[in-house]
Amino acid sequence: MDKVSVMTEINEMLDTFCQDCFVKKQLIKDNGKTQAHKFCITTCTVGEQLQFLGSEMNKITK
């Protein structure tokens, strides 16, 4: 994977899944942005995939 393809995939995932995520919006409304962010990082499968792509990006840039 090259840097451009990883960034493209990250952007597509964010636009497709995270932009209009009902769960994230509801968590922000009920618990605040911090709790919503924590959910996205630790529980959401899309968040896990984004973390994987981020680690791939780190491997490319080093």
Side-chain angles (χ1 to χ4, degrees), residues 12-60:
E12 287 175 1
M13 289 188 73
L14 289 172
D15 290 344
T16 304
F17 299 108
C18 301
Q19 186 90 19
D20 298 320
C21 179
F22 174 76
V23 176
K24 182 179 174 183
K25 287 180 184 179
Q26 192 63 40
L27 285 171
I28 290 171
K29 184 178 175 183
D30 293 343
N31 301 322
K33 287 176 89 174
T34 304
Q35 289 298 322
H37 183 73
K38 184 177 179 181
F39 168 82
C40 293
I41 291 172
T42 60
T43 307
C44 181
T45 55
V46 175
E48 291 174 3
Q49 183 65 26
L50 289 170
Q51 287 183 30
F52 169 75
L53 291 171
S55 67
E56 290 298 308
M57 180 68 78
N58 285 335
K59 291 177 188 176
I60 294 169

Side-chain angles (χ1 to χ4, degrees), residues 1-12 57 60:
M1 292 183 116
D2 65 330
K3 194 174 187 178
V4 174
S5 66
V6 173
M7 285 301 298
T8 302
E9 191 169 345
I10 289 172
N11 287 333
E12 287 175 1
M57 180 68 78
I60 294 169

